[in-house]
């Protein structure tokens, strides 16, 4: 069990640029989740996948955000035309499906918009 | 809708004394409840989970929590604080009847340990 891996750990970009983050879940986990955490707050749910299917998206996920999990393994989260308000920690988690399966989190990608 | 309220944003205790972090929840259905810990610039680590099997739940690092339905509470305790316990703690709820896909986090309690 190598844990959930997220890359990059930190991303600094100018406003208006596009950014993409990657998440590699625990290998046997078929569910993958994205959360956003702003300073001093708890994480907020963005979206989740079961295998390659995106099953739920939060209203927080505006049209500038897109997430994919093309082969049911790793996932990417892209933000287009970044804004100051996008500055946050983006967390990925994975789990097995079924009741009472805990989510295991990666260390996150911290995004800073200049 | 489900929600959690962490009653203290910051708790300070002396090393070796008990820890109490308070959490109240609201859920329309049968809840699953979790406590996660987050050390600076790190992801979240699961401390313990409640899923209806037993009201007193034991977790890692000596932490435990008691589910009290009548009080809608799920407080986290530890008999003796250690310096390494200094971190942010999150109480989390999900609706078990609808699966545990969507976790709802509290705003967190920062625990400081005084040497």
């Amino acid at each position: 069990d190598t844990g959930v891996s997220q890359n990059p750990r930190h991303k600094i970009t100018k406003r208006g640029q596009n950014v993409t983050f990657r998440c590699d879940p625990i290998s046997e986990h078929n569910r993958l989740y994205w959360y956003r955490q702003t300073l001093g707050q708890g994480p907020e749910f963005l979206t989740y996948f079961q295998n390659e299917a995106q099953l739920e998206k939060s209203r927080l996920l505006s049209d500038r955000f897109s997430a994919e999990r093309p082969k049911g393994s790793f996932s990417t989260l892209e933000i287009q035309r970044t804004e100051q308000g996008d500055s946050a920690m983006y967390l990925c988690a994975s789990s097995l499906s079924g009741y009472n399966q805990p989510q295991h989190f990666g260390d996150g990608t911290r995004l800073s918009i200049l | 809708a489900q929600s959690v309220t962490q009653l203290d944003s910051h708790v300070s205790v002396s090393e070796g004394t008990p820890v109490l972090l308070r959490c109240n929840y609201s859920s329309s259905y049968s809840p699953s409840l979790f406590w996660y810990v987050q050390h600076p610039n790190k992801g979240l680590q699961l401390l313990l989970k409640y899923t209806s099997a037993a009201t007193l739940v034991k977790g890692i690092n000596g932490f435990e929590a008691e589910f009290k339905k009548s009080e809608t509470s799920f407080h986290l305790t530890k008999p003796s604080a250690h310096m390494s316990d200094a971190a942010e703690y999150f109480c989390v709820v999900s609706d078990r009847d609808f699966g545990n896909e969507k976790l709802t986090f509290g705003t967190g309690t920062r625990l400081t340990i005084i040497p």
Side-chain angles (χ1 to χ4, degrees):
Chain A
D1 180 358
T2 57
V4 178
S5 176
Q6 291 189 246
N7 288 288
R9 290 295 315 280
H10 303 276
K11 180 70 177 178
I12 301 173
T13 192
K14 294 182 179 179
R15 184 167 53 92
Q17 297 295 305
N18 299 344
V19 293
T20 300
F21 312 139
R22 176 179 171 123
C23 172
D24 288 88
I26 293 171
S27 58
E28 62 267 30
H29 287 182
N30 56 352
R31 285 189 177 169
L32 186 147
Y33 314 79
W34 285 99
Y35 293 83
R36 181 173 69 187
Q37 184 179 23
T38 53
L39 208 59
Q41 300 296 315
E44 296 173 292
F45 171 82
L46 292 178
T47 188
Y48 95 95
F49 294 82
Q50 176 140 328
N51 300 312
E52 66 275 8
Q54 188 173 18
L55 296 186
E56 185 173 349
K57 293 196 295 185
S58 163
R59 286 173 292 179
L60 293 174
L61 215 63
S62 75
D63 292 344
R64 296 184 297 106
F65 287 70
S66 62
E68 295 182 343
R69 194 182 184 197
K71 297 182 180 178
S73 57
F74 73 91
S75 175
T76 57
L77 178 67
E78 181 183 15
I79 308 174
Q80 296 182 327
R81 305 180 302 282
T82 52
E83 301 174 355
Q84 291 284 352
D86 297 333
S87 294
M89 175 79 87
Y90 290 84
L91 294 163
C92 176
S94 69
S95 77
L96 296 169
S97 57
Y99 283 156
N100 307 327
Q101 296 296 335
Q103 296 181 23
H104 298 262
F105 284 80
D107 286 342
T109 295
R110 181 169 296 283
L111 174 64
S112 298
I113 308 296
L114 300 178
Chain B
Q2 56 193 17
S3 66
V4 287
T5 301
Q6 292 186 243
L7 300 170
D8 307 291
S9 59
H10 192 191
V11 170
S12 293
V13 301
S14 297
E15 189 177 17
T17 64
V19 175
L20 170 64
L21 305 183
R22 298 182 294 165
C23 172
N24 287 110
Y25 70 91
S26 173
S27 177
S28 303
Y29 305 98
S30 303
S32 288
L33 293 158
F34 308 82
W35 277 97
Y36 280 84
V37 62
Q38 186 176 34
H39 289 91
N41 297 312
K42 300 289 281 184
L44 295 117
Q45 181 184 19
L46 179 68
L47 280 178
L48 50 80
K49 64 177 182 179
Y50 165 76
T51 54
S52 84
T55 56
L56 183 63
V57 182
K58 294 189 182 298
I60 62 171
N61 300 335
F63 284 96
E64 62 182 37
E66 186 172 8
F67 174 74
K68 291 186 177 181
K69 186 175 181 178
S70 61
E71 298 177 9
T72 61
S73 70
F74 190 58
H75 301 334
L76 182 71
T77 60
K78 182 172 180 177
S80 176
H82 190 273
M83 293 301 295
S84 61
D85 295 328
E88 190 89 16
Y89 291 79
F90 293 96
C91 183
V92 184
V93 66
S94 71
D95 280 329
R96 182 158 39 90
D97 286 350
F98 288 84
N100 288 332
E101 294 86 6
K102 181 178 175 180
L103 300 182
T104 300
F105 285 76
T107 52
T109 298
R110 181 170 299 278
L111 177 63
T112 299
I113 310 299
I114 303 166

